Amino acid sequence: MDPDIRMYNNQLNQEDQAICDMLAEEISQHLPDAENKIWHAHPVWFIEKNPIVGYSRQKAGIRLMFWSGSDFKEEKLKIIGSKFKDASIYYNSISQIDKNDLKRWLEKSIKIQWDYKNIIKRKGILIRLK
């Protein structure tokens, strides 16, 4: 795990840290070639410099967000806005994490990608990569 992500996780309370440690482990296992780092103050995994998945501590819990998740067509992933293609799930306990769901979502995150890497260059327009 990237040392900065380890530091991010370690500053959380015990339950949140356990959730984030499990998420980081599972994401890294299923996206072994993805680069991971702290980006905009939160842990994020990238494929070819395109953000794929990340998590953050928010008021509602630990938010696991998939940048292209709205196209995964997964009931448990909630679409918050309509401008982008992201979808999220919140966790408040490690027991809420379904590793089978997470694995499926991570597999979809490889196959379904929108080009967030060039969104500024394209003035907010997203183009499907995969």
Side-chain angles (χ1 to χ4, degrees):
M1 184 185 314
D2 179 281
D4 291 334
I5 292 177
R6 169 65 52 214
M7 196 173 355
Y8 177 93
N9 291 359
N10 287 346
Q11 56 89 27
L12 300 169
N13 69 45
Q14 189 174 3
E15 185 66 33
D16 290 347
Q17 182 179 348
I19 293 167
C20 291
D21 285 348
M22 179 183 280
L23 290 174
E25 183 179 311
E26 291 294 314
I27 294 167
S28 293
Q29 177 184 341
H30 297 292
L31 299 178
D33 297 326
E35 173 192 7
N36 58 79
K37 63 183 179 181
I38 298 295
W39 190 54
H40 297 286
H42 307 290
V44 177
W45 280 253
F46 299 80
I47 295 177
E48 298 174 7
K49 301 191 186 303
N50 197 42
I52 301 300
V53 62
Y55 57 80
S56 61
R57 175 72 183 106
Q58 298 191 356
K59 195 174 190 177
I62 299 297
R63 179 184 183 199
L64 176 66
M65 185 182 94
F66 291 90
W67 265 257
S68 301
S70 67
D71 285 349
F72 294 2
K73 306 296 185 218
E74 292 280 346
E75 189 176 313
K76 290 182 183 177
L77 293 176
K78 303 302 179 207
I79 301 165
I80 296 173
S82 59
K83 185 176 180 181
F84 299 111
K85 299 288 186 174
D86 61 295
S88 304
I89 186 169
Y90 287 88
Y91 298 112
N92 289 292
S93 168
I94 198 167
S95 64
Q96 294 175 316
I97 299 172
D98 182 323
K99 287 185 179 184
N100 292 321
D101 285 344
L102 185 53
K103 179 182 177 191
R104 186 176 61 255
W105 300 336
L106 290 166
E107 288 169 351
K108 286 183 177 186
S109 75
I110 295 168
K111 297 173 185 168
I112 300 170
Q113 291 182 41
W114 288 83
D115 186 6
Y116 284 92
K117 175 177 63 174
N118 295 304
I119 196 168
I120 293 172
K121 196 185 313 181
R122 291 198 179 100
K123 300 179 183 193
I125 297 172
L126 281 173
I127 294 174
R128 179 96 182 242
L129 294 174
K130 298 180 181 186

